[in-house]
Amino acid sequence: MTEFGDFASIDVEKLLGSAQKQLAQVEELQSRTAELVGRARDKDGLVTVGYTSQGLHELELNPRAMRLASADLADLIKSVARESAADLERQTHELMEEMFGADNPMNLLRDPDAALAQVKQAEAAYDRTFEEVMSDLEQIRRRLQS
């Protein structure tokens, strides 16, 4: 039998335990991710931004920022907001590395070709398993008809 064909050897308790552990990790990840805040400040200290998974969370403008032209201030705010969003992304990646190590799902987003290769491997494994099960069922049907 191939690696997927021997269903009798599946350790259901181990499988359930693994699923429960993964669910607990996902719940912890959600909880800890909700607490993250990406922060950035421009070099002159005029604009400070806090960014969370919900979007712009904090915006502080130093009174000196009001002396800028409105277009310049808008550009500065957008630039600092992008930096704070990048900081949030960095923190999220570090958290996922801490929790998942080499199996960090964020790595798949950074390398779509690797993600597609994993999907194709899973598809091939599913196809092999399906073919084996159908073959086994056909053999059982033939035996029952004899």
Side-chain angles (χ1 to χ4, degrees):
M1 294 240 158
T2 67
E3 63 184 283
F4 297 104
D6 191 7
F7 293 111
S9 68
I10 293 176
D11 184 348
V12 176
E13 293 297 322
K14 183 177 179 182
L15 186 63
L16 287 174
S18 176
Q20 289 172 339
K21 179 181 175 188
Q22 288 176 346
L23 182 59
Q25 278 184 308
V26 169
E27 288 173 353
E28 180 183 355
L29 177 65
Q30 287 175 332
S31 172
R32 291 179 64 185
T33 300
E35 298 170 359
L36 296 178
V37 179
R39 298 196 186 280
R41 177 184 301 212
D42 73 292
K43 63 180 171 50
D44 297 323
L46 300 177
V47 175
T48 303
V49 173
Y51 202 87
T52 69
S53 60
Q54 302 298 311
L56 185 66
H57 180 68
E58 300 168 6
L59 174 61
E60 294 179 23
L61 300 176
N62 185 301
R64 294 179 297 135
M66 304 314 286
R67 295 183 191 139
L68 296 174
S70 62
D72 292 339
L73 179 57
D75 288 343
L76 185 59
I77 291 170
K78 289 187 279 188
S79 173
V80 176
R82 279 191 298 274
E83 290 174 22
S84 65
D87 183 51
L88 176 64
E89 182 181 345
R90 178 194 55 76
Q91 289 179 45
T92 303
H93 182 72
E94 287 175 358
L95 176 60
M96 292 186 78
E97 285 287 326
E98 173 191 325
M99 293 188 69
F100 297 105
D103 296 329
N104 182 353
M106 289 289 281
N107 292 337
L108 296 177
L109 296 176
R110 297 183 196 289
D111 189 356
D113 292 334
L116 184 59
Q118 285 189 349
V119 168
K120 287 183 179 187
Q121 284 179 331
E123 180 183 30
Y126 171 81
D127 288 344
R128 284 190 309 272
T129 302
F130 181 78
E131 288 172 14
E132 288 177 12
V133 168
M134 293 309 290
S135 175
D136 290 346
L137 289 174
E138 180 63 23
Q139 288 176 4
I140 292 169
R141 185 188 65 77
R142 286 183 190 150
R143 286 184 198 145
L144 291 173
Q145 286 180 344
S146 303

